[in-house]
Amino acid sequence: MDSSIVVMDPLHHFDHEHPLYLVHLPQQAHHKNENADDEDEDEVEDEVEFVEEDRQCNLCKEQIWSFHLCYYSCKTCNYSLHKFCAELHRKLQNHPLHPGRHLSFSSGSSYGFKCFLCNLMQKSICGYRCVNLECALLPTKLLIQNHTDGSFTHSHPLTLAYSFPYLDILAKYLPLCRVCGHRFYSHLWIYKCDKCLYYVHVDCATSKREPFMSIFQTASLGKTYKNFKEDEYPNLLHCPFQDEGDNLLKRYMSNQHKLIGDSKQHGGEMLTHASHQHALILFDKQTPAGASLHDPMKRIQLLCDGCVKPIMTVPFYVCCQYDDEQYCFVLHEWCAKLPAEVQEYVGHLEHTLVLLPKIPSKFFGVFKCAVCELPSNGFSYGCTICNFYVDINCAFIPKEITHDAHPNHLLSIVKPSDTQSEEYCKACGYWVGQRNLVYHCSSCNFYIDVECALLLPRVIKHKLDKHPLNLRYEPAENHTSEYFCEICEYQFTPWEWFYHCTTCAQSVHAACVPLILQCEQNTYADNRKCVYEFLNVKFGGTLEIKDHSHSLAFVQGLESDGRCSKCRNRLQYKMIFKCLECEYALHFECASSSVN
């Protein structure tokens, strides 16, 4: 490169005894040939020139490059400064870190120091007495997308806050940095949004840690780039499902043309099914007179006896002995035509799983699914040799999915071990170490429980809100107040998945969603997970026991049900059997022992 042009413009700097002169740097333009191959382009990009044999700034210890345009240099000795560094003030008056006083400039030492504001170790780089130079000059307002190359975006400017008191951290339910996903410390500065629950470390907001790299290290943070090829996964499932009427089993069976598509039956035709003593009749155009499809807005519930999911459209099968008031037995069309067995199941490769309408050894047909760990009294696939049972939805879980909570990255089914001692589901916050199967992103530290990934729809409807409520994975924008569930009326943390209407600013626990149908009398704040514990249980039916003269109804316990007549423990939030003629009621387990 040609020698620099020295302009007589002396500067007397407090850190050097000789005058410094501004040096303008000649620029060498590089023109990229659009027809050049990739190798030539790489060579052009690498041609970034140093100044005068690798010259460094004596204050910040960073390189002086030709694109800096100019710098200050000493004619007497080998001393140079970036123009920006040379023009820094020796003292900062009334700095927010130290109001009423001043911060004096320090050129650093060979040992370095830890910045008091961002907590990062600095290697002998200049600053203002235990404060990193960049931190001392932080802007009071910034748009995070302008400082992170668009890897992180937020619609509002962030405000610099000079502390984050611990009581405030607790009041906001222990938020984590939106960039790195790590915790906050009370004495460190942060950037926060005044209109949303959005908080970031100062170094993360300004790219000092290169936060865009966190997309390969932490979960659900920043812009992610596709880590798989679409054509290699032609049947890839994209989650979450749109609404309650869509689910995994419906998608799977719709692709089985031999079972459904090529053997369509017409309305009124009869089917004999092993799960029920009477023949089933198909309704394919409209529901029977006096009966209705599942409709949360009208508080009408119609659940399939096979998958225990809502029946929201025709066709479906009904017991031929139905009356105009209710169905004693009902199945989705696809649930009536399930395959008799599942081979090489990902969670139980040892044996073939067999379709079981009811598990004979399970009281009242209720079993615990080995994958989602939810109780169920619907159909199951099981291995009686190993006492391994899964509900019919979990029997067809795909090996790979994608999810809106972690876009562009493939999530694969894995069997975690106790080595994942600090890994938690990003939806509900529960530890994944002892789960049988979970979904995991191999590019990131991202885990989702199977039930959180597959059982929470994108949109729900609530009779008390005329707008749909959308599944959210983080706090809503323009919402700084507390979050209260419209069903159970308890306050909750927005750092776990929930449903929210941005128009009405109403929110619902994800676990309370199934209780919309009976929200005036039934709440479920006791459940800390995202998925309602009894989502796969169809309540109803009666039980006769020897210790009581009346029939007992199978229901979920309410606060008004009091205590179990046998063990005297509370019945609320539990599966119970209660008498509708008197105050007698039993826990599910107590009823089981009374029968046996």
Side-chain angles (χ1 to χ4, degrees):
M1 188 177 76
D2 295 338
S3 59
S4 304
I5 303 172
V6 179
V7 179
M8 302 304 294
D9 188 12
L11 171 72
H12 297 280
H13 194 268
F14 57 82
D15 195 55
H16 192 63
E17 65 273 20
H18 304 137
L20 304 178
Y21 295 88
L22 188 64
V23 178
H24 290 279
L25 299 173
Q27 301 300 300
Q28 179 177 346
H30 295 288
H31 301 283
K32 185 185 293 186
N33 182 353
E34 295 182 356
N35 297 322
D37 56 25
D38 293 340
E39 183 176 348
D40 293 336
E41 289 180 6
D42 292 340
E43 291 179 0
V44 171
E45 291 175 358
D46 291 339
E47 292 178 7
V48 179
E49 298 186 21
F50 294 97
V51 175
E52 295 184 2
E53 298 182 356
D54 203 9
R55 183 178 292 274
Q56 283 188 339
C57 173
N58 285 73
L59 276 186
C60 72
K61 311 303 181 186
E62 297 291 337
Q63 194 66 51
I64 297 177
W65 303 85
S66 60
F67 58 73
H68 284 125
L69 303 181
C70 58
Y71 69 100
Y72 278 95
S73 180
C74 177
K75 293 183 177 181
T76 307
C77 58
N78 186 25
Y79 188 91
S80 301
L81 297 177
H82 288 115
K83 186 174 184 294
F84 172 81
C85 295
E87 295 173 354
L88 288 170
H89 295 288
R90 186 168 190 175
K91 295 180 179 180
L92 294 180
Q93 300 289 343
N94 197 31
H95 193 272
L97 176 66
H98 206 33
R101 302 296 179 89
H102 61 260
L103 295 178
S104 299
F105 191 90
S106 173
S107 59
S109 69
S110 58
Y111 299 102
F113 65 92
K114 180 174 286 190
C115 175
F116 186 75
L117 304 185
C118 69
N119 212 39
L120 295 181
M121 194 67 190
Q122 309 297 323
K123 296 181 179 179
S124 65
I125 297 178
C126 59
Y128 286 93
R129 294 292 174 89
C130 296
V131 178
N132 182 28
L133 174 60
E134 290 89 345
C135 291
L137 302 177
L138 285 171
T140 56
K141 297 275 188 180
L142 63 78
L143 284 171
I144 192 169
Q145 51 265 38
N146 294 342
H147 295 263
T148 60
D149 298 325
S151 292
F152 299 88
T153 60
H154 190 65
S155 58
H156 307 131
L158 303 183
T159 302
L160 183 63
Y162 305 120
S163 66
F164 199 176
Y166 184 66
L167 290 180
D168 289 349
I169 295 176
L170 287 179
K172 303 304 180 184
Y173 294 97
L174 303 174
L176 301 177
C177 174
R178 291 290 190 95
V179 170
C180 70
H182 296 152
R183 61 177 292 192
F184 291 99
Y185 295 90
S186 299
H187 68 283
L188 298 181
W189 288 13
I190 65 168
Y191 275 104
K192 68 176 184 178
C193 179
D194 296 326
K195 298 181 179 180
C196 316
L197 298 180
Y198 192 97
Y199 307 94
V200 292
H201 297 113
V202 290
D203 54 305
C204 293
T206 54
S207 293
K208 292 176 192 172
R209 279 193 204 158
E210 295 184 346
F212 51 86
M213 291 301 293
S214 70
I215 63 176
F216 303 109
Q217 301 167 354
T218 56
S220 190
L221 303 175
K223 183 188 299 182
T224 54
Y225 299 91
K226 188 169 291 186
N227 66 353
F228 66 96
K229 296 180 180 179
E230 290 277 0
D231 56 357
E232 294 180 358
Y233 301 90
N235 297 317
L236 186 63
L237 180 65
H238 301 281
C239 295
F241 295 107
Q242 181 59 29
D243 53 39
E244 286 186 285
D246 195 8
N247 58 65
L248 177 60
L249 196 58
K250 177 181 178 181
R251 296 281 189 95
Y252 175 82
M253 294 300 292
S254 295
N255 293 330
Q256 307 302 303
H257 299 293
K258 292 182 179 179
L259 296 176
I260 294 181
D262 296 339
S263 59
K264 283 280 187 180
Q265 289 187 312
H266 301 288
E269 294 192 8
M270 308 292 282
L271 173 71
T272 300
H273 197 274
S275 63
H276 194 64
Q277 68 269 30
H278 302 134
L280 306 180
I281 185 170
L282 179 68
F283 288 93
D284 65 344
K285 294 183 179 179
Q286 61 184 16
T287 59
S292 300
L293 295 169
H294 183 91
D295 188 348
M297 302 300 285
K298 297 179 180 179
R299 295 181 189 165
I300 298 173
Q301 186 177 67
L302 181 62
L303 300 179
C304 172
D305 283 272
C307 65
V308 200
K309 296 293 180 285
I311 295 180
M312 305 182 75
T313 61
V314 292
F316 62 94
Y317 282 95
V318 177
C319 173
C320 64
Q321 302 296 318
Y322 74 92
D323 57 37
D324 291 341
E325 298 297 325
Q326 63 181 1
Y327 305 129
C328 66
F329 189 85
V330 59
L331 289 178
H332 287 114
E333 184 188 18
W334 52 85
C335 289
K337 300 178 180 180
L338 293 169
E341 57 185 34
V342 173
Q343 298 180 352
E344 297 182 349
Y345 181 64
V346 63
H348 192 73
L349 297 173
E350 298 89 339
H351 305 108
T352 297
L353 304 185
V354 179
L355 177 63
L356 300 168
K358 292 295 179 183
I359 304 174
S361 61
K362 301 297 182 181
F363 173 64
F364 223 67
V366 177
F367 66 97
K368 182 178 180 180
C369 176
V371 174
C372 68
E373 300 186 358
L374 297 175
S376 174
N377 59 351
F379 295 177
S380 68
Y381 280 93
C383 172
T384 55
I385 299 174
C386 303
N387 200 30
F388 179 90
Y389 303 101
V390 294
D391 64 64
I392 57 175
N393 282 284
C394 289
F396 299 99
I397 56 174
K399 293 182 179 179
E400 295 92 12
I401 65 169
T402 61
H403 201 287
D404 287 352
H406 196 57
N408 295 320
H409 280 195
L410 197 68
L411 303 179
S412 302
I413 201 78
V414 297
K415 191 168 186 176
S417 63
D418 291 340
T419 56
Q420 278 93 17
S421 57
E422 297 183 359
E423 308 304 339
Y424 298 88
C425 171
K426 301 304 177 183
C428 64
Y430 272 66
W431 182 48
V432 303
Q434 291 184 331
R435 300 304 300 268
N436 192 12
L437 296 172
V438 296
Y439 282 106
H440 173 239
C441 175
S442 60
S443 300
C444 313
N445 187 25
F446 189 93
Y447 290 85
I448 314 181
D449 291 335
V450 170
E451 66 271 24
C452 293
L454 301 178
L455 297 181
L456 297 176
R458 180 180 286 109
V459 177
I460 63 161
K461 294 181 179 180
H462 188 333
K463 185 174 177 62
L464 302 181
D465 193 327
K466 61 183 179 181
H467 309 109
L469 282 78
N470 295 286
L471 182 62
R472 291 203 59 90
Y473 315 116
E474 57 191 21
E477 287 195 359
N478 299 303
H479 189 109
T480 56
S481 59
E482 291 83 1
Y483 287 80
F484 287 89
C485 177
E486 296 294 323
I487 305 298
C488 68
E489 299 182 351
Y490 279 78
Q491 190 174 358
F492 66 87
T493 170
W495 306 107
E496 295 170 1
W497 293 7
F498 64 101
Y499 287 93
H500 183 75
C501 173
T502 55
T503 305
C504 303
Q506 294 196 117
S507 305
V508 177
H509 276 126
C512 286
V513 167
L515 300 174
I516 286 175
L517 294 168
Q518 58 267 27
C519 60
E520 285 87 357
Q521 62 175 352
N522 200 357
T523 59
Y524 200 54
D526 188 59
N527 184 26
R528 294 182 57 203
K529 300 200 72 174
C530 285
V531 177
Y532 174 54
E533 183 180 358
F534 304 132
L535 184 67
N536 291 337
V537 174
K538 184 173 181 177
F539 290 103
T542 59
L543 176 71
E544 305 288 339
I545 63 171
K546 59 185 178 182
D547 298 332
H548 192 69
S549 58
H550 303 139
S551 297
L552 304 181
F554 181 44
V555 297
Q556 181 191 320
L558 306 178
E559 184 178 8
S560 59
D561 292 323
R563 296 182 178 274
C564 176
S565 299
K566 187 172 185 179
C567 70
R568 306 307 303 166
N569 290 326
R570 289 175 61 227
L571 295 170
Q572 188 179 15
Y573 309 132
K574 306 296 182 181
M575 292 187 296
I576 71 169
F577 289 90
K578 77 173 184 179
C579 179
L580 301 181
E581 299 183 38
C582 61
E583 295 183 354
Y584 188 87
L586 296 175
H587 280 125
F588 184 87
E589 294 78 8
C590 293
S592 175
S593 62
S594 296
V595 171
N596 299 329

